[in-house]
Amino acid sequence: MDEFRTNLPLFREAIGTTFYIVGISVVLGGLLGLVLGLVLYATRPGSLLANRPVHIIMNLLVNVIRPIPFVIFLAAFQPVMLATVGTTIGKEAVTFGLTVAAAFAVSRIIEQNLLTVEPGVLEAARAAGARPLSILLTVVVPEALGPVILGYTFIFVGVVDMSAQAGLVGGGGLGDFAITYGAHRYNWTLVYISVATIVVIVQAGQFLGNFLARRVLRR
């Protein structure tokens, strides 16, 4: 434990960096993914704003980018990082890459959950004279809100997992701390404390997501 006390300031900094990376990535990636998911759903053939060319392009983008392992995505995405945030290393670069990766993952989850809304609900809204965009935002999204919240919870856990790889590009965080100050120095106490901290963060996010989803589903 003496080694841990010595590295306590670095450990606190690593926690702060993890919250910085995960927080920004989940919020911005979640918002961007929501928009992409709505476009995917609405432009499907037979859907509210059916547009086959747009849907094919969006579907192709999601299918290509979403399955790429995050480590490879970070390497392949470096030219875009350099052009956008001006660097390919550090927490800003990894946050940008993680935000984009999360957005495409969220988009598919949003689309799949919106597809579970009963067609009869849409027909009733159409019969009442509601416009497609109004149906999408005031009927479809609220109807699927519970599963969507659970989907965001799943993404949060995934983003925490991916943030542990931030050290590969100098992004810092708990994963980097566990490897640099723990595993590389054979200090397993630091490794286990870092892992336990990540587990606590994930469990807290999961608990909050489950709580919010239950509240919505019981309306």
Side-chain angles (χ1 to χ4, degrees):
M1 292 301 291
D2 290 341
E3 187 73 16
F4 175 69
R5 292 191 186 94
T6 302
N7 289 287
L8 190 55
L10 292 173
F11 178 69
R12 288 172 176 162
E13 182 181 347
I15 293 176
T17 301
T18 294
F19 275 108
Y20 174 89
I21 294 172
V22 172
I24 292 178
S25 300
V26 168
V27 172
L28 295 184
L31 290 173
L32 182 58
L34 176 63
V35 173
L36 294 176
L38 290 174
V39 172
L40 273 171
Y41 171 81
T43 58
R44 291 174 68 88
S47 190
L48 296 168
L49 299 167
N51 188 315
R52 187 176 176 82
V54 172
H55 183 74
I56 289 175
I57 293 172
M58 290 294 301
N59 201 44
L60 181 63
L61 273 175
V62 174
N63 284 344
V64 169
I65 294 177
R66 194 170 65 98
I68 301 175
F70 186 59
V71 174
I72 299 173
F73 179 80
L74 274 182
F77 204 57
Q78 287 189 3
V80 181
M81 290 179 186
L82 191 59
T84 307
V85 295
T87 180
T88 59
I89 59 173
K91 62 183 180 181
E92 283 76 19
V94 77
T95 301
F96 179 68
L98 196 47
T99 297
V100 174
F104 282 95
V106 168
S107 67
R108 187 61 82 195
I109 288 176
I110 294 291
E111 180 200 22
Q112 291 174 347
N113 282 309
L114 296 185
L115 286 171
T116 63
V117 176
E118 292 290 336
V121 177
L122 303 184
E123 293 305 321
R126 280 174 170 148
R131 294 179 179 277
L133 189 58
S134 175
I135 295 174
L136 183 65
L137 298 178
T138 63
V139 177
V140 178
V141 173
E143 282 291 322
L145 191 55
V148 165
I149 290 174
L150 291 176
Y152 272 112
T153 305
F154 177 79
I155 290 298
F156 170 77
V157 174
V159 169
V160 172
D161 179 25
M162 289 189 285
S163 75
Q165 303 168 47
L168 294 172
V169 292
L174 284 167
D176 184 42
F177 179 83
I179 294 172
T180 303
Y181 298 96
H184 287 176
R185 297 180 181 180
Y186 302 101
N187 190 327
W188 306 116
T189 300
L190 294 187
V191 174
Y192 295 144
I193 290 175
S194 300
V195 170
T197 305
I198 292 173
V199 170
V200 169
I201 293 172
V202 168
Q203 290 302 314
Q206 186 72 57
F207 175 81
L208 179 61
N210 291 344
F211 172 76
L212 293 175
R214 281 198 301 271
R215 292 288 298 271
V216 169
L217 291 170
R218 289 175 181 170
R219 291 177 301 179

